[in-house]
Amino acid sequence: MFIGGQWTGAENRSTIDVENPATEKIIASVVDGTKEDAETALRAAQEAFPAWAALPPVERGRAVASLADAVESNAVHLARLVTLEQGKPLNHAFEEISASVTFLRYAAENARRIEGDIVTSDSPSEEIHIRRHPYGVVVGLTAWNYPSALAARKLGPALVAGNTFILLSHEATPLSGLALAALSQQAGLPGGVFNVVTGRGPVVGDALVRSPVSGLITMTGSTRAGRAIYRTGAEHIKVVRLELGGKAPFIVMEDADIDAAVTAAVAARYTNCGQICTCNERMYLHRSIADQFLARFVEASRVLTVGDPLKNADLGPKVSRVERDKVAQMVGQSVESGAEVLLEGGVLEDGNYSKGHWYAPTVLEVKDNSNPAAREEVFGPVAVAMRVDGFEEAIALANDTEFGLSAYLFTNNYKRLAQAPYLLKFGELYLNRSNGEAVQGFHTGWGMSGLGGEDGRYGFDNYLRKQTAYLNWG
């Protein structure tokens, strides 16, 4: 672990094995951290905070920009590391490292954008000043699907805003966070400003969230884990930002560009083996174009390659055997509940797939939203389609969910496009395009998909709290 600027905790400790999901070989072991490790990291971050917060923001920005330079210079190594521990194709891992650089650089550019307000008072001899201050110690808890980018997305703005940071990566993919810590040393970040601990969420994560030392918790992960963190943080009325699961509807109307919609639907469903919270999770297809769309979509799904991620197959493995089996179980339940199988796909275990956690693209068609595949987040390469008779029905079915992260709409009707932001109850809309956020946007979920948000000026502002001062000279 990396605590207070030092590597520590490796000798005579219980460990967690890190598995390559494509080969099932153990590629590393990390410390199975304890509550005491969490407390040590909290003390280090707390001690480093005053000096870091006192620096002019532009100096903090330069430090984060130097870290971005280090990440960019080591892109080949970092991308390979992502592929080895997470399983995504190497070309997609390079895209993740590029995103990490972008997140850090954008955060560094915000150093001169920390602003306040002077508001007129009701008194003739008074001004009201509203300032922004860092929270103190920020704890970042990240998911396994983007182990580098999710860490950088939180780390950059937290540090530039003047906070110190403790990262707990998911135990399945801890190596990218540790690599980021090593690069922070090269970039010259002071000890204690960025700390990385390893271990399990219910132990180390719980201690980090529960402690009165941590001022802000930012987490990306499952809704189940988000609920637990929210409950734990309530003990100290903790400020909590949660980016959780999704069940994104993908609506294709009768007037849509079918070729563009199919291309976008395939990318939004199968990228990273379907392990993205904004993925196309349920397709609502106007009845008049459904046959045409599904014929093209099924064929595009059928020809996707599944294999060695280091050789840039279209799909790598699922991250673990447990996650693969969850997908297989959900498909089985959905078929038992009446889903029609349009493309069988499924678990691959023979020949070249005898080792690893492989799942081939699968396409189901369902009759209504009650089917498990239409209600529960699949988080795997399984596409679900349903036919609708009109725009109003599609919107009603799309909104029939407890999730509210992202939604898609393909139509050339400008009235529908203008209405979509008012009708679709989701924090992020993709209108006539596939998924993928811009760093200057705002990535946020509604409902059971989370609290707070990331990116852009709104995301940056989440790492600053406000203080009002009444300046009276009378």
Side-chain angles (χ1 to χ4, degrees):
M1 292 180 282
F2 186 68
I3 299 174
Q6 302 293 324
W7 294 99
T8 182
E11 295 182 3
N12 301 318
R13 297 290 302 273
S14 297
T15 58
I16 299 172
D17 289 337
V18 181
E19 180 194 64
N20 180 339
T23 65
E24 299 184 56
K25 291 182 180 179
I26 304 304
I27 59 172
S29 296
V30 297
V31 177
D32 189 359
T34 63
K35 176 184 176 182
E36 289 71 29
D37 294 317
E39 291 170 347
T40 302
L42 287 161
R43 285 194 298 271
Q46 187 179 36
E47 290 170 3
F49 170 67
W52 180 251
L55 288 175
V58 68
E59 292 189 26
R60 300 195 297 259
R62 289 191 189 108
V64 171
S66 294
L67 177 56
D69 292 340
V71 172
E72 190 168 46
S73 297
N74 289 273
V76 172
H77 169 69
L78 295 174
R80 185 177 175 84
L81 193 61
V82 167
T83 294
L84 290 174
E85 69 172 342
Q86 196 272 336
K88 70 183 55 172
L90 186 60
N91 55 341
H92 293 174
F94 272 105
E95 292 173 0
E96 177 174 347
I97 301 306
S98 178
S100 301
V101 173
T102 298
F103 286 134
L104 293 170
R105 290 207 193 287
Y106 182 84
E109 292 164 0
N110 275 318
R112 290 190 172 96
R113 300 188 183 119
I114 300 174
E115 300 175 344
D117 299 282
I118 298 176
V119 182
T120 58
S121 172
D122 296 343
S123 170
S125 57
E126 184 176 78
E127 285 183 338
I128 303 170
H129 294 191
I130 301 174
R131 293 178 173 85
R132 284 168 166 81
H133 296 277
Y135 281 91
V137 177
V138 171
V139 169
L141 309 170
T142 57
W144 46 257
N145 57 336
Y146 282 87
S148 177
L150 291 176
R153 187 181 220 170
K154 299 175 186 299
L155 175 66
L159 295 189
V160 174
N163 304 283
T164 53
F165 196 86
I166 303 171
L167 173 68
L168 173 63
S169 299
H170 193 279
E171 61 264 27
T173 55
L175 304 181
S176 293
L178 292 167
L180 202 58
L183 294 178
S184 76
Q185 268 189 311
Q186 293 182 24
L189 263 69
V193 169
F194 176 34
N195 308 273
V196 180
V197 291
T198 56
R200 304 177 195 276
V203 178
V204 182
D206 180 79
L208 292 170
V209 173
R210 196 175 295 279
S211 171
V213 173
S214 53
L216 168 65
I217 310 300
T218 172
M219 175 266 195
T220 300
S222 69
T223 298
R224 175 196 54 77
R227 281 193 181 110
I229 290 167
Y230 204 22
R231 283 193 295 267
T232 302
E235 183 177 344
H236 291 287
I237 318 297
K238 195 84 64 172
V239 178
V240 179
R241 314 291 188 198
L242 303 172
E243 200 268 286
L244 307 177
K247 189 66 182 173
F250 193 105
I251 300 170
V252 185
M253 299 311 298
E254 78 284 357
D255 59 346
D257 180 332
I258 301 301
D259 289 336
V262 169
T263 299
V266 169
R269 177 61 271 172
Y270 299 118
T271 298
N272 198 21
C273 202
Q275 300 169 135
I276 305 176
C277 53
T278 58
C279 263
N280 157 25
E281 282 269 338
R282 48 197 172 111
M283 300 184 292
Y284 298 109
L285 311 175
H286 193 280
R287 197 171 300 277
S288 65
I289 54 87
D291 287 341
Q292 179 187 9
F293 179 96
L294 285 171
R296 297 184 189 183
F297 182 86
V298 169
E299 184 55 30
S301 302
R302 190 193 314 276
V303 299
L304 293 173
T305 57
V306 181
D308 186 352
L310 289 174
K311 296 181 180 179
N312 292 326
D314 293 318
L315 281 78
K318 283 283 293 176
V319 72
S320 69
R321 181 62 55 94
V322 169
E323 289 294 325
R324 187 204 70 179
D325 291 347
K326 281 182 185 177
V327 174
Q329 182 180 24
M330 185 178 296
V331 169
Q333 292 171 346
S334 300
V335 172
E336 288 178 5
S337 299
E340 179 185 356
V341 179
L342 304 184
L343 178 64
E344 186 169 2
V347 172
L348 302 176
E349 294 182 301
D350 299 329
N352 293 334
Y353 304 110
S354 60
K355 291 290 185 181
H357 314 306
W358 309 98
Y359 203 98
T362 300
V363 184
L364 306 176
E365 185 172 351
V366 300
K367 300 298 184 183
D368 56 56
N369 265 4
S370 66
N371 191 283
R375 295 218 68 79
E376 302 172 28
E377 186 177 28
V378 178
F379 222 62
V382 178
V384 183
M386 187 186 310
R387 299 169 193 251
V388 298
D389 291 313
F391 184 61
E392 292 75 14
E393 182 186 6
I395 293 293
L397 289 168
N399 288 332
D400 178 26
T401 178
E402 62 181 0
F403 295 105
L405 183 57
S406 56
Y408 302 77
L409 170 63
F410 273 77
T411 180
N412 284 316
N413 183 310
Y414 288 101
K415 181 178 178 181
R416 290 170 175 167
L417 291 171
Q419 290 177 317
Y422 300 95
L423 299 176
L424 288 166
K425 307 305 180 184
F426 299 84
E428 193 164 83
L429 305 183
Y430 298 110
L431 307 178
N432 288 329
R433 58 159 285 187
S434 191
N435 58 342
E437 307 93 51
V439 70
Q440 69 271 29
F442 185 49
H443 177 59
T444 183
W446 294 5
M448 297 302 290
S449 290
L451 298 166
E454 308 270 12
D455 305 338
R457 65 188 181 98
Y458 300 112
F460 183 74
D461 200 43
N462 276 337
Y463 291 93
L464 293 157
R465 54 184 171 182
K466 284 74 178 175
Q467 178 192 68
T468 302
Y470 295 88
L471 179 60
N472 192 294
W473 58 84

